[in-house]
Amino acid sequence: MDTARGAKTETGESKTSALLVLLHMRTFVALILVFTFFAIAAPNFLTGGNMLIISKHVALNALLAIGMTFVIIAGGIDLSVGSIVGLCAMVAGYLVLYGIDLGFLGIGYSIQFNTIEICLMVLVVGVGVGWINGLLITKLNVAPFIATLGTLYVARGAALLFSDGRTFPNLGGNPDYGSDTFRLIGSGSFLGFPLSVWIMIVVALLAAYLAARTPLGRHIYAVGGNERGAALSGVNVDRTKLFVYMFSGFCAALVGLIISSQLQASHPATGETFELNAIAAAVLGGTSMSGGRGRIGGTIVGAFVIGILADGLIMMGVSSFWQTVIKGLVIIAAVVVDQVQQKLQAKVILQQQVN
């Protein structure tokens, strides 16, 4: 009788363990299923040109999602990343076309910048908005949702004010000022791959190293897992939170630069709803919305799932309205699966303690 009961228990544990492994691999399984489906259902999906287009879209989603992953692991949320993209795109467009006009000082000329200087200034803007988010959350104790919702509106309004709602066109740059290479950020390539993909790879590798191999990375996980416990352990919670929001702003600024360079134009509506894609990619990649858990590698795979899903639906002629519905369902499904995984893990740990 005891033997039969023990065998039944072992069978149940093995099934639970197998299900846990499947849940851990859920993002890869989703990627394989989505890719296979569109390879069969969507015409020209597997062509080289379409793969390049998808890689560019994935690079943008992945860059935003990498920053979002750190924010969520630390127990926060950043709703402002899409607006930061739009603001940084407008700043880049303004600097390429006009530089900085010194007329308000009574000086009849403007300062012009080369591509590197423009990129640095735009990145400072993105990091600066992230710094403001961090200060609101750490120093003024504003809830992350409310703080970043507020900066979402402020950054979008600032983007509109830059041009009174108009587009900055023809961002080819001026060779006399060294800004003519600005277009290469979004349209250039190296070893057959777009530069935007290489930028994503570099940022992803640096982020993965930071998360897995540095004290700062351990602090980010500790703050998200148990903020009070982390503080009692000597972790500077405020500084850690400030970093993750600044890093998220940095990633958003990169995306703003890439998009304005690709299009050779800047529009104040650039980046609208991008925060949804970033959250979806991070959560689908295994990042827990409750904080303390997540991997950069999983986020990258999640970005591929979202990118392939979006482009595949477009190729099949699915309405943009339905695309939005499907993205929402993907986020809900990812959170539900994450909750199931946590409950199963708790069950397995309890069984091991009992045995």
Side-chain angles (χ1 to χ4, degrees), residues 116-140:
I116 294 177
E117 291 168 341
I118 291 170
C119 291
L120 290 175
M121 294 173 73
V122 171
L123 291 174
V124 168
V125 171
V127 172
V129 178
W131 177 72
I132 292 172
N133 281 334
L135 286 182
L136 289 172
I137 293 164
T138 59
K139 301 302 181 183
L140 299 180

Side-chain angles (χ1 to χ4, degrees), residues 29 41 105 180 197 243 255 278 302 304 327 346:
V29 173
L105 296 176
D180 57 320
V197 174
F243 169 80
V255 174
F304 270 96
K327 287 179 185 178

Side-chain angles (χ1 to χ4, degrees), residues 233-284:
S233 300
V235 174
N236 191 321
V237 174
D238 287 355
R239 188 181 301 170
T240 302
K241 288 185 176 182
L242 200 62
F243 169 80
V244 298
Y245 284 99
M246 291 171 68
F247 183 74
S248 180
F250 171 82
C251 292
L254 280 176
V255 174
L257 280 169
I258 292 170
I259 292 178
S260 58
S261 174
Q262 282 180 348
L263 301 177
Q264 293 192 37
S266 298
H267 191 277
T270 300
E272 285 187 345
T273 72
F274 277 23
E275 59 276 359
L276 299 182
N277 290 338
I279 295 171
V283 173
L284 190 60

Side-chain angles (χ1 to χ4, degrees), residues 51-73:
M51 290 295 104
L52 282 177
I53 292 173
I54 290 177
S55 69
K56 290 181 179 181
H57 293 167
V58 168
L60 299 178
N61 288 337
L63 281 170
L64 282 180
I66 290 168
M68 187 68 73
T69 296
F70 276 142
V71 171
I72 296 176
I73 289 174

